[in-house]
Amino acid sequence: WKKRLVKYDIIICFATDVNLPVLKWIARHCEEKKLIYYLYGRIGDYVDLEKNEELIANVKELGYEIWSYDLQDCQRYGFKHNKSFYTEKTHELVARKKEKDLLYDVVFIANNKGRGELIRNVKIQLEERGLKTYFYVLNMPDLEGNKCDKNTPLPYEKYIEVVKVSKAVLDIVTVGNYGLTLRPIEALLTEKKLVTNYLDIENCDFFKKNNIYIMKDCNLENINDFLNRPYEFVEQEIIDSYSEAA
């Protein structure tokens, strides 16, 4: 990958994928290029906030612009705002042969990030309604039926495979979230339904009631009816607007 960098004018490094030594190497060898460090999570979601703020300061000193999907973080820390988007890698994984048989009704793959009580509550409600779930949650060993038994992240390719065999993706945002996370974009790209507690999603251009169930006060009373409704396809122009190229 190092040899390929010379071909590009802009280099985007994702916070979850690239560590500080790699960022330093890129900064040293790509001084004439525009460098962007993109945050897929909110600063406040991390357990060690002070350590994470120190990392951001170090990245800035290396000459990277810091971008985030979260409006509040952008205002507080002076980041540049950019909506969530899917990468070419995600598009390639989705484009592979789709599974024919659905195995799960709702899938949730994430880190706990202080959402444990809400995650447990939603899982219980879904299963009480006879729905089959796939929950893979890091840092939540006491969650009954948690597929994450070794507390190691699920490879992204495997994550997409699980989404493909599910009816819906669950999106649980943390308190104070002010932006569209990646899960709604992944659901959009894979033509899966979305169950979310992000209330502002109804203002997004891809919002359709048949596709997106908004949990207000964790209310899942009509979830079965929602999942049984046919998926309403979204215009390709809208989907394309969430690509990295756009």
Side-chain angles (χ1 to χ4, degrees), residues 77-88:
Y77 296 99
F79 302 157
K80 291 193 174 183
H81 178 260
N82 194 85
K83 67 181 182 181
S84 292
F85 57 91
Y86 63 86
T87 64
E88 185 61 30

Side-chain angles (χ1 to χ4, degrees), residues 117-204:
E117 183 178 347
L118 181 55
I119 291 170
R120 195 187 322 276
N121 185 5
V122 172
K123 186 174 186 294
I124 290 173
Q125 286 195 62
L126 291 171
E127 293 173 354
E128 284 180 344
R129 287 165 171 77
L131 299 174
K132 190 168 184 180
T133 65
Y134 184 102
F135 274 59
Y136 191 105
V137 187
L138 290 166
N139 299 307
M140 198 171 176
D142 60 340
L143 178 66
E144 186 176 350
N146 191 353
K147 303 293 185 182
C148 180
D149 55 353
K150 296 182 180 179
N151 207 41
T152 55
L154 194 69
Y156 193 68
E157 182 172 355
K158 176 62 177 176
Y159 166 71
I160 293 297
E161 288 177 3
V162 175
V163 169
K164 284 183 177 182
V165 294
S166 306
K167 280 187 180 180
V169 174
L170 176 62
D171 174 48
I172 299 179
V173 300
T174 55
V175 176
N177 181 82
Y178 289 92
L180 191 68
T181 67
L182 188 56
R183 283 185 191 84
I185 308 305
E186 292 164 339
L188 177 66
L189 191 60
T190 53
E191 297 176 355
K192 298 297 179 180
K193 296 200 170 193
L194 180 74
V195 181
T196 181
N197 64 338
Y198 180 53
L199 304 184
D200 284 346
I201 200 166
E202 62 183 351
N203 296 318
C204 292

